[in-house]
Amino acid sequence: MVQGASRTVAQVVGVSLLAVAVSAFLSVAAVRHGFFDLQVYYGALNWWVHDGGEIYDYLRPLTQYGFTYPPFAALVMLPMAYLPWLAAIVVSVAATVVVTVVLFWWLIDPISRRAGWTRWFVLAVALCLAAAYEPMRETVNFGQVNMLLLFLVAIDLLRLLPRGNRWAGVGIGLATAIKLTPGVFIVYLLVTRRWRAAVTSMVTAAAATLVAAALFPDASREFWTEALWNTGRVGELAFVSNQSLRGVVARLDPEHPSTLVWLVLVLGTLALWAWRSRVAAAVGDEATGLALTGAVMCLVSPVTWVHHLVWLLPALILLVDNAMAASARTLRRRLLLAAAFVGYGLLISRIVWSWEQDFTGPDGFLGSNTYVWISLALLAFLPVRRWLVPPGSGDEASAVPQLDEPDGRAPAAERNRVGGPLSVR
């Protein structure tokens, strides 16, 4: 009893010290954006609701930035037009915090149970580390919707789809109707032959879009015929914050970026993703499917600002999961933990901004695209968790050899522990 109390006190002190350290780090490293994107949403909605303007005609004063999301997103955000500005900030930050806590619980709690860690302590440590993660702090400081979209997709892939729930696909459909890029998860469902969920997601996205069109016909007409195709409203492709393959190509030749080279890179990346996603789906590893598809979305989207890279969080967490599934003191565990440490370390460092003004030369090519290389490495090398396959299933034979590799052997007692690999599902 005394020993347990002492451990709890030590854990509380440890979390408190980590929170202080992260706060000190953020006071130096975090850039204050003044909720810039939230100001765009807020201004556009007020212009539309209270001033009688068209939502896609609005530009934030002294900038080229306007509302770029589909009309259904405007419908979802409509209550913001009736809130004071400070209340809108509170809602934005609170919503991001709540969905992050829930998502991290879904991803991290199975690791804690398998490893025998104190569950609340591991979650608290992970949330502190997430606060220092550059894409997360940028999402909060800009007032962006990235974590809300990731949460909608995760509801489907982590909760509903593994249980065969008939509503699987609704979250992906809603995320796609709010912002088009999560539509790649519909492709994921098609590639992995989850036909019912794919149809559900497409019907949901279409229904949400039609509802918005019926309510706001003028705004819908302008978005689908004009605003969607006006790339100048988004920003400069070569800007160092654009950590996509399109950004890589644009930084090679900002004046004349090669569309052909970009398309070739995209096709190759999609082929790798489709193959790896099908492998993950074949053993029921939906979390890895989520992580791989999040990484490929960041890579193939024409514009992936740094704050969009919150979609890499599941992959970083799963690196730790795979490491802890390997036996202690093995090369496999050390390599996976090192990969997670290096990837996370670079993604809190703002390293790409060192080349914001000049990304020429070999160092500029390598350094200004650091986050792209991380996305590619995660897509190519994030392990599929074959050890999730239940004993006695048809896929068990293909799963066991991975555990029997010299650097990845898990003791029988560890594999059979209560709360073991099956609990992740």
Side-chain angles (χ1 to χ4, degrees):
M1 182 72 70
V2 174
Q3 184 178 5
S6 298
R7 184 175 66 174
T8 299
V9 170
Q11 289 172 337
V12 170
V13 171
V15 169
S16 300
L17 291 175
L18 178 60
V20 170
V22 169
S23 298
F25 172 77
L26 293 176
S27 69
V28 176
V31 177
R32 302 324 192 251
H33 299 292
F35 299 96
F36 183 95
D37 290 0
L38 188 64
Q39 287 185 35
V40 173
Y41 310 152
Y42 190 80
L45 288 165
N46 277 279
W47 164 266
W48 187 35
V49 173
H50 301 300
D51 298 333
E54 180 54 66
I55 190 168
Y56 295 108
D57 292 339
Y58 173 85
L59 293 178
R60 189 178 184 274
L62 305 179
T63 76
Q64 64 186 18
Y65 298 107
F67 195 84
T68 58
Y69 295 163
F72 182 70
L75 175 61
V76 172
M77 296 181 186
L78 195 58
M80 192 187 302
Y82 301 95
L83 293 177
W85 169 238
L86 290 179
I89 293 175
V90 170
V91 170
S92 173
V93 174
T96 296
V97 170
V98 169
V99 299
T100 301
V101 171
V102 176
L103 176 62
F104 271 44
W105 179 258
W106 290 345
L107 289 168
I108 293 172
D109 189 57
I111 308 174
S112 302
R113 286 187 282 120
R114 284 196 298 270
W117 295 335
T118 304
R119 294 156 69 184
W120 72 263
F121 173 71
V122 176
L123 177 65
V125 169
L127 290 171
C128 287
L129 295 177
Y133 183 70
E134 184 181 359
M136 177 67 78
R137 64 187 193 238
E138 293 280 284
T139 287
V140 174
N141 283 330
F142 273 116
Q144 263 284 343
V145 299
N146 304 308
M147 287 305 299
L148 303 178
L149 299 177
L150 175 52
F151 179 70
L152 284 174
V153 171
I155 291 173
D156 279 343
L157 296 190
L158 300 183
R159 313 308 290 179
L160 301 184
L161 196 61
R163 293 170 169 78
N165 191 292
R166 64 176 180 173
W167 295 104
V170 170
I172 291 173
L174 291 174
T176 303
I178 293 171
K179 186 176 181 180
L180 300 179
T181 48
V184 70
F185 285 93
I186 298 178
V187 183
Y188 167 76
L189 294 174
L190 293 171
V191 164
T192 56
R193 300 180 182 179
R194 261 66 72 84
W195 309 119
R196 179 171 181 166
V199 170
T200 299
S201 62
M202 287 187 283
V203 170
T204 301
T209 300
L210 289 174
V211 167
L215 293 173
F216 317 124
D218 292 337
S220 296
R221 187 181 308 108
E222 182 169 357
F223 175 79
W224 295 107
T225 60
E226 296 181 31
L228 176 61
W229 314 103
N230 183 1
T231 56
R233 295 165 59 91
V234 178
E236 183 184 352
L237 291 175
F239 184 41
V240 74
S241 183
N242 184 12
Q243 291 293 302
S244 69
L245 292 172
R246 186 62 161 159
V248 173
V249 173
R251 283 186 285 277
L252 289 173
D253 185 359
E255 297 298 324
H256 305 286
S258 173
T259 300
L260 178 60
V261 171
W262 174 59
L263 290 175
V264 170
L265 291 174
V266 166
L267 290 175
T269 302
L270 287 173
L272 174 63
W273 162 75
W275 169 60
R276 301 217 66 220
S277 294
R278 293 193 64 176
V279 172
V283 296
D285 190 359
E286 301 298 349
T288 297
L290 167 64
L292 295 173
T293 308
V296 85
M297 183 180 72
C298 293
L299 289 166
V300 304
S301 174
V303 175
T304 298
W305 302 135
V306 168
H307 58 76
H308 294 147
L309 297 176
V310 295
W311 290 91
L312 299 184
L313 280 170
L316 293 174
I317 292 171
L318 290 176
L319 280 177
V320 177
D321 194 4
N322 279 279
M324 299 314 299
S327 295
R329 297 182 297 277
T330 59
L331 177 61
R332 178 180 176 84
R333 175 175 285 193
R334 290 195 295 269
L335 287 176
L336 289 170
L337 288 176
F341 178 81
V342 171
Y344 172 78
L346 289 172
L347 282 161
I348 71 171
S349 68
R350 286 184 54 83
I351 188 172
V352 299
W353 298 99
S354 300
W355 291 271
E356 181 180 3
Q357 302 301 325
D358 182 10
F359 39 73
T360 59
D363 66 309
F365 176 73
L366 294 174
S368 69
N369 300 308
T370 298
Y371 301 165
V372 179
W373 310 142
I374 294 173
S375 298
L376 282 169
L378 291 171
L379 176 63
F381 300 113
L382 178 66
V384 172
R385 300 178 299 169
R386 297 178 184 275
W387 40 269
L388 290 176
V389 178
S393 71
D395 291 322
E396 185 182 3
S398 65
V400 172
Q402 190 179 71
L403 292 177
D404 291 339
E405 292 173 359
D407 62 349
R409 185 179 294 119
E414 183 175 334
R415 294 198 300 269
N416 296 329
R417 183 193 308 150
V418 175
L422 296 185
S423 64
V424 78
R425 293 176 64 87

